[in-house]
Amino acid sequence: MPSATTPAPRRSRGPLGAVVATALLVGLAACSAPSGSSQPATTTGAGTSLGWQDTLTGGSDKLDVATTVAPISSIARNIGGDRIRLRGLIPDATNSHTFEPAPSDARTLANADLIIVNGLHLEQPTLDLAEASKSAAGVIEDLGDSTLTQADWLFDFSFPESAGDPNPHLWMDVQYAIRYADLIRGWFDAADPTNAPAYDADYAAYKVRLDQLDGLIRKGVASVPAQDRKLLTYHDSWAYWAREYGFTVIGAIQASDFSDPSPQEVARLIEQIRAEKVPAVFGSEVFPSPVLEQIARESGATFVDKLRDDEPPGAPLSGEHTYLGMMKNDMTVLVGALGGDPSIFDRLDVTDTWRP
């Protein structure tokens, strides 16, 4: 896997910076969509975002970037800003493990200069289509394999070692999200050196915000009573987060084949929650789980179904519909439900940090 500084093959391009900046200003003044975008016009001020639903054209005026899940798309937008066309292939609130891309996605992938995937078998059908559809100059970059060695892989109930696939949800750990941002910066620099100084500046600004988020999470965790720093979730997407921030994952409901647990497993989880005095169990807005709600009710724990691992909150082009917004939502919900101080996260600005 190439490093973040390995040059990547690319189409021949002219200078992009002045063209992009001028196009953005004209587009905003005329209340029209950004060049190459299929979405309504937005500003870059507080409360709005460019999102990641641009139409990739294969033109030489901007870098065409295809991504998979929303957290990766949001990170890429903060590095690339309006200097790229960005298309997130996997819709929000969709099971990325089983998502089957549409035939029309093949055209998007064929127009992409860079195709950025999480890897670690998170989005295998999408990766298969990318390998079959990309142009000769298109490059696929894998974040997971560029971030972890196999020695750092984590396995758990939803991702058992016997199946061979590690837990792929690295971005929930902000330290890994910083690594993702740095890798993307390097790939953009190599593919579009004319705009490398802008990508580097956008990365630096975004890292300041990510470092702030990381520090607030540590304060939020410290506010939770030590005996309550335990997680029982529906989908086991918190393994790397828990390892980094000092929590224990005591279980997950969804098995590796995405089935519900057996009655025996349900009974065991209820007893475990009672024995460990777990105050709350966490469902998902993406995966409704009556079984987990039943487990919470019978064990005496509070049921909270507001955690997200790949669906930012708010409308798609709103300022809170970002990776930062998703993490702030999760931390406020989680810390508050476990007896900590959720107000610690109130001052975190979750809007995009890139600048024209």
Side-chain angles (χ1 to χ4, degrees), residues 232 249-251 266-278:
L232 176 67
V249 177
I250 67 171
V266 168
R268 179 184 58 77
L269 287 168
I270 290 171
E271 289 305 314
Q272 184 178 11
I273 293 168
R274 288 172 177 166
E276 300 196 32
K277 298 181 172 61
V278 176

Coordinates of all heavy atoms in Angstrom, one line a residue, residues 232 249-251 266-278:
L232 N -22.2 -1.8 26.2 CA -22.9 -2.8 25.6 C -23.7 -2.1 24.4 O -24.5 -1.3 24.7 CB -23.9 -3.6 26.5 CG -24.7 -4.6 25.8 CD1 -23.9 -5.8 25.3 CD2 -25.8 -5.2 26.7
V249 N -15.6 -2.8 26.5 CA -16.8 -3.3 25.7 C -17.1 -4.6 26.3 O -16.4 -5.6 26.1 CB -16.5 -3.3 24.2 CG1 -17.7 -3.9 23.5 CG2 -16.1 -2.0 23.7
I250 N -18.3 -4.7 26.9 CA -18.7 -6.0 27.5 C -19.5 -6.9 26.5 O -19.7 -8.1 26.8 CB -19.5 -5.8 28.8 CG1 -20.8 -5.2 28.5 CG2 -18.6 -5.0 29.8 CD1 -21.7 -5.1 29.8
G251 N -19.9 -6.4 25.4 CA -20.6 -7.2 24.4 C -21.3 -6.4 23.4 O -21.3 -5.1 23.4
V266 N -29.3 -13.9 24.8 CA -30.0 -12.8 25.4 C -30.0 -13.0 27.0 O -29.8 -12.0 27.7 CB -31.5 -12.8 24.9 CG1 -32.3 -11.9 25.7 CG2 -31.5 -12.4 23.4
A267 N -30.3 -14.2 27.4 CA -30.3 -14.4 28.9 C -29.0 -14.2 29.5 O -28.9 -13.6 30.6 CB -30.8 -15.9 29.1
R268 N -27.9 -14.6 28.8 CA -26.6 -14.4 29.3 C -26.3 -12.9 29.4 O -25.7 -12.4 30.4 CB -25.5 -15.1 28.4 CG -24.1 -14.8 28.9 CD -23.1 -15.5 27.9 NE -23.2 -14.9 26.6 CZ -22.8 -13.7 26.2 NH1 -22.1 -13.0 27.1 NH2 -22.9 -13.3 25.0
L269 N -26.6 -12.1 28.4 CA -26.4 -10.7 28.4 C -27.2 -10.0 29.5 O -26.6 -9.1 30.2 CB -26.7 -10.1 27.1 CG -25.8 -10.4 25.9 CD1 -26.4 -10.0 24.6 CD2 -24.5 -9.6 26.1
I270 N -28.4 -10.4 29.8 CA -29.2 -9.8 30.8 C -28.5 -10.0 32.2 O -28.4 -9.1 33.0 CB -30.6 -10.4 30.8 CG1 -31.4 -9.9 29.6 CG2 -31.4 -10.0 32.1 CD1 -32.7 -10.5 29.4
E271 N -28.0 -11.3 32.4 CA -27.4 -11.6 33.7 C -26.1 -10.8 33.8 O -25.7 -10.3 34.9 CB -27.1 -13.1 33.8 CG -28.3 -13.9 34.0 CD -29.1 -13.4 35.2 OE1 -28.5 -13.2 36.3 OE2 -30.4 -13.3 35.1
Q272 N -25.3 -10.6 32.7 CA -24.1 -9.9 32.7 C -24.3 -8.4 33.0 O -23.6 -7.8 33.8 CB -23.4 -10.0 31.4 CG -22.0 -9.3 31.3 CD -21.3 -9.5 30.0 OE1 -21.9 -10.0 29.0 NE2 -20.0 -9.2 30.0
I273 N -25.3 -7.8 32.5 CA -25.7 -6.4 32.8 C -26.0 -6.2 34.2 O -25.6 -5.3 34.9 CB -26.8 -5.9 31.8 CG1 -26.3 -5.9 30.4 CG2 -27.3 -4.6 32.3 CD1 -27.5 -5.7 29.4
R274 N -26.8 -7.2 34.7 CA -27.2 -7.1 36.2 C -26.0 -7.3 37.1 O -25.8 -6.5 38.0 CB -28.2 -8.2 36.5 CG -29.6 -7.9 35.9 CD -30.5 -9.1 36.1 NE -31.8 -8.9 35.6 CZ -32.7 -9.9 35.5 NH1 -32.4 -11.2 35.7 NH2 -34.0 -9.6 35.0
A275 N -25.1 -8.2 36.7 CA -23.9 -8.5 37.5 C -23.0 -7.3 37.5 O -22.4 -7.0 38.6 CB -23.3 -9.8 37.1
E276 N -22.8 -6.7 36.4 CA -21.8 -5.6 36.3 C -22.4 -4.3 36.5 O -21.7 -3.3 36.5 CB -21.1 -5.7 34.9 CG -20.4 -7.0 34.6 CD -19.4 -6.9 33.5 OE1 -18.9 -5.8 33.2 OE2 -19.2 -7.9 32.8
K277 N -23.7 -4.3 36.8 CA -24.4 -3.0 37.1 C -24.2 -2.0 36.0 O -23.9 -0.8 36.3 CB -24.0 -2.5 38.5 CG -24.3 -3.4 39.7 CD -23.9 -2.8 41.0 CE -24.4 -3.7 42.2 NZ -23.8 -5.1 42.1
V278 N -24.4 -2.4 34.8 CA -24.3 -1.5 33.7 C -25.5 -0.5 33.7 O -26.6 -0.9 33.6 CB -24.2 -2.2 32.4 CG1 -24.1 -1.3 31.2 CG2 -23.0 -3.2 32.4

